[in-house]
Amino acid sequence: MNYNAPHRHAVIELSQSAVVHNLKVIKENAHAKEIMAVLKANAFSHGLPEMAALSITAGATRFGMAMLDEALTLRDLGYVQPIDVLGLTDSRYARLAAERNITLAFSTKESIKAAAEQLVGTGLTLKVSLPVDTGLNRIGFKSREDLVAAIQELSAQDTLIFQSMWTHFATADTPNVDYVDFQISEWQRLTHDLPAEPIEKHFANTGIATWYPEKINTDIVRLGIGLFGINGSVPIMSMPFELIPALSLKAKVVNSKPLKKGDAVGYGAEYHAPNDGYLITIPIGHSDGYPFNGSGMRALVADGQIGHIVGGVAMDQSMIFVANPVAVGTTVTLIGRVGDQSITMQDLAEHTQSSIVALMNDFAPRLQRIIVS
Ligand SMILES: *Cc1c(COP(=O)(O)O)cnc(C)c1O
């Protein structure tokens, strides 16, 4: 079940100014003409409806999604911009995609032919993209012979439009420039002098647009993680410009009480208060995507106190130990900024020895999403 919980005070706030800033600095850095907002997986779990609206406000002109269902969801939300499905789709859905003006990727001549057959007699045309596998070894054409044959098939079908040809880099967010260069040489080897040319080509994700924009054409940037203001590079590479995290995670205190030195907290009764203080409970747990092993993380209380999560993160609730009393209803920030204090997803990833990308993809649908300025 995919539900959200507007009657609970646990929210993801999405900052419009952050998204506008992130898109602008990356677009400028890459001298890009167009930004394709890649909003797969519920917009990296930030929330698709909200992030789609923010992306368009920020200047994105089109969308990239992982699968047809996500693209259909965007159409159902009313978006009329071009949508690329970046994963492979079964040819039997060619008609559905054509009806909704969604571009599908195919990586064999046979799947292209089968897609065309679905459209015979419908009066519909389907935009087709051809991924070229230059070294990620995930999807796409790896042999020039297969690519040429596929383009011949595609060109012979008047129900299909040769919309684009593209590749995806394996090391764009790493210092491995040699592999970037290798993939570029593979692109040249595979795609020179083809029997037909697509309407457009695209190459850049966040990493290329950030660290290697001079290497290859970046007219169209397929912008994923950078849009959210996250540097997802491993090992962490320094940013040539500043990104601002779009997401904050906040909850309001539902329970507050004094705690005596030695009192146990949470399942297992393993944590004991090191001194007298106060314990506040917030309605966010690991079912919301906050890490199961988040104990010990800081939490920023609106009154300026910095507490720590203690006693384990439960499914739906967490407890925070603070020095001074806190009123029920006070806002607590688990990710985000309060005054001059901030907790980033990077902090959380380091504390929990997890990947920042995995963490940012974990936020549950049941958290309410709110757009703030
Ligand atoms: C996910 C994805 C992107 C976006 O990548 P980021 O590194 O998050 O910007 C771009 N292109 C393809 C093919 C993808 O799968």
Side-chain angles (χ1 to χ4, degrees):
M1 193 169 88
N2 196 358
Y3 60 98
N4 87 17
H7 304 102
R8 171 181 74 152
H9 294 298
V11 301
I12 282 177
E13 284 182 3
L14 296 164
S15 158
Q16 173 164 317
S17 55
V19 175
V20 167
H21 166 88
N22 296 332
L23 187 141
K24 180 168 175 281
V25 289
I26 292 171
K27 189 177 179 193
E28 281 173 5
N29 191 66
H31 300 290
K33 298 199 175 95
E34 272 200 82
I35 298 293
M36 177 196 296
V38 177
L39 301 182
K40 55 197 182 190
N42 194 26
F44 290 58
S45 88
H46 283 49
L48 180 61
E50 295 78 12
M51 283 305 303
L54 290 175
S55 302
I56 295 296
T57 301
T61 53
R62 51 196 291 176
F63 298 104
M65 306 302 278
M67 58 182 101
L68 179 57
D69 300 283
E70 295 177 345
L72 292 168
T73 303
L74 260 185
R75 284 282 180 257
D76 291 345
L77 288 168
Y79 289 94
V80 296
Q81 289 82 359
I83 306 177
D84 268 270
V85 174
L86 297 169
L88 298 175
T89 307
D90 193 313
S91 301
R92 76 179 68 175
Y93 305 121
R95 180 175 177 162
L96 178 57
E99 279 167 356
R100 309 297 296 273
N101 190 25
I102 292 164
T103 305
L104 295 187
F106 293 110
S107 70
T108 62
K109 178 182 153 179
E110 292 69 31
S111 56
I112 292 168
K113 189 156 188 270
E117 277 160 12
Q118 297 289 318
L119 299 169
V120 172
T122 63
L124 295 164
T125 52
L126 175 70
K127 292 174 182 154
V128 171
S129 86
L130 301 184
V132 178
D133 187 354
T134 55
L136 182 62
N137 276 314
R138 195 166 68 182
I139 59 168
F141 291 91
K142 244 188 114 58
S143 115
R144 181 176 159 82
E145 201 187 345
D146 292 348
L147 179 60
V148 168
I151 292 175
Q152 277 159 349
E153 181 69 52
L154 178 44
S155 307
Q157 300 288 351
D158 48 14
T159 51
L160 303 180
I161 298 168
F162 187 12
Q163 181 65 29
S164 68
M165 207 161 62
W166 53 276
T167 196
H168 195 40
F169 285 84
T171 62
D173 59 359
T174 81
N176 191 346
V177 62
D178 290 345
Y179 205 75
V180 173
D181 288 336
F182 165 72
Q183 287 195 255
I184 291 170
S185 68
E186 280 292 278
W187 173 268
Q188 280 150 0
R189 183 180 69 77
L190 292 164
T191 67
H192 68 89
D193 299 323
L194 292 170
E197 284 291 318
I199 295 167
E200 60 191 18
K201 299 173 190 174
H202 40 82
F203 308 92
N205 64 345
T206 300
I208 292 287
T210 302
W211 291 288
Y212 301 110
E214 73 293 349
K215 288 272 181 200
I216 195 157
N217 182 306
T218 53
D219 283 354
I220 300 168
V221 173
R222 302 190 304 264
L223 184 58
I225 193 164
L227 187 63
F228 304 91
I230 299 295
N231 174 356
S233 65
V234 188
I236 288 285
M237 306 236 287
S238 68
M239 294 293 299
F241 44 78
E242 192 202 1
L243 291 177
I244 304 173
L247 176 147
S248 301
L249 180 63
K250 299 183 179 179
K252 286 188 177 166
V253 174
V254 293
N255 195 82
S256 177
K257 62 179 169 247
L259 202 65
K260 286 263 169 269
K261 179 177 175 175
D263 282 354
V265 178
Y267 289 126
E270 279 169 18
Y271 175 85
H272 296 274
N275 43 262
D276 290 358
Y278 292 83
L279 193 72
I280 54 181
T281 302
I282 54 168
I284 287 186
H286 60 84
S287 301
D288 294 296
Y290 193 81
F292 181 78
N293 56 348
S295 266
M297 273 301 293
R298 286 175 303 138
L300 307 176
V301 185
D303 65 7
Q305 293 193 75
I306 301 175
H308 288 89
I309 296 188
V310 297
V313 173
M315 270 181 76
D316 317 298
Q317 305 179 66
S318 305
M319 283 76 87
I320 297 163
F321 190 55
V322 286
N324 302 306
V326 175
V328 166
T330 304
T331 298
V332 175
T333 299
L334 295 180
I335 300 172
R337 178 172 282 283
V338 175
D340 61 357
Q341 293 293 324
S342 77
I343 300 169
T344 64
M345 251 182 273
Q346 184 61 42
D347 295 334
L348 206 52
E350 276 166 21
H351 183 86
T352 59
Q353 309 225 318
S354 171
S355 122
I356 194 165
V357 180
L359 277 183
M360 75 184 286
N361 271 316
D362 269 354
F363 298 109
R366 73 183 195 177
L367 285 165
Q368 210 186 141
R369 270 71 171 171
I370 294 174
I371 293 175
V372 297
S373 60

